[in-house]
Amino acid sequence: MLWLWNVLILLATVVVMEIVAALSHKYIMHGWGWGWHLSHHEPHSGKFELNDLYAVVFAVLAIVLIYVGVQGMWPLQWIGAGMTTYGALYFMVHDGLVHQRWPFRYIPRKGYLKRLYMAHRMHHAVRGREGCVSFGFLYAPPLNKLQATLRQRHGRKINEDAATDQPDAVQDETHAK
């Protein structure tokens, strides 16, 4: 029966991490932590950006929780494992699918993955840290609501190219010309 509790703790942690990540993204990364996160909203040529330090902070916290859990505080290891699972999902969806930081390109054309992809593209449609939409990474509100919110906040002043199906690399080349 203990295995069931472990699985439930891990899955609950993944769900809670989406909430924590969305709130952290909105209020920390687009707030007092903008210094690190700014690198994520600007074009870059290297493999890493300063924003990646947020992943390091969460990874260290997960490692500490797993270590303390293995030392006797049983549920903490599964909370740390849930954070690690969320981190892997984040890496696959956000870094890989949305921002094409993999060595291959895939752009989803329908369903849940397209919704995530397009919602995050809309997040990047706004220059700067104010007025962005869709701060989650594994959940995205309906796209028509995000578009309406962007129009209401910005009219046509948003970077409309950022909310298209174009991957970052193609967009950066287009703007460079």
Side-chain angles (χ1 to χ4, degrees):
M1 191 64 166
L2 183 60
W3 68 269
L4 180 60
W5 282 109
N6 295 340
V7 169
L8 289 174
I9 290 169
L10 185 141
L11 293 175
T13 301
V14 170
V15 171
V16 169
M17 279 304 299
E18 174 64 4
I19 296 165
V20 168
L23 292 173
S24 297
H25 188 191
K26 185 172 185 175
Y27 296 108
I28 295 173
M29 295 177 192
H30 280 254
W32 57 266
W34 181 249
W36 283 4
H37 192 59
L38 171 63
S39 66
H40 182 64
H41 283 264
E42 293 181 334
H44 57 89
S45 57
K47 290 187 181 236
F48 297 102
E49 52 193 48
L50 193 57
N51 182 67
D52 294 334
L53 290 174
Y54 284 113
V56 172
V57 169
F58 279 113
V60 167
L61 180 57
I63 290 166
V64 168
L65 288 172
I66 291 169
Y67 176 78
V68 172
V70 169
Q71 298 304 312
M73 297 191 73
W74 152 76
L76 295 182
Q77 70 186 347
W78 295 101
I79 293 171
M83 289 177 69
T84 302
T85 302
Y86 181 85
L89 292 169
Y90 167 90
F91 174 74
M92 289 185 288
V93 170
H94 180 263
D95 289 350
L97 180 71
V98 175
H99 290 290
Q100 305 291 313
R101 291 175 78 178
W102 292 339
F104 60 89
R105 303 282 185 245
Y106 170 71
I107 298 174
R109 299 289 176 212
K110 61 184 176 180
Y112 167 74
L113 292 178
K114 180 176 182 175
R115 182 171 159 177
L116 280 180
Y117 178 84
M118 293 303 295
H120 201 74
R121 301 298 299 161
M122 283 187 245
H123 174 78
H124 283 272
V126 177
R127 295 287 181 225
R129 67 181 178 175
E130 300 294 328
C132 293
V133 296
S134 189
F135 292 90
F137 298 105
L138 300 181
Y139 168 76
L143 297 178
N144 60 343
K145 289 184 179 182
L146 294 175
Q147 290 168 335
T149 301
L150 281 173
R151 275 193 290 278
Q152 178 186 23
R153 290 181 185 168
H154 304 284
R156 296 203 176 264
K157 295 179 183 175
I158 62 168
N159 176 9
E160 292 176 358
D161 289 343
T164 67
D165 285 335
Q166 298 177 2
D168 289 339
V170 173
Q171 243 182 274
D172 292 344
E173 290 171 11
T174 305
H175 290 295
K177 292 180 181 176

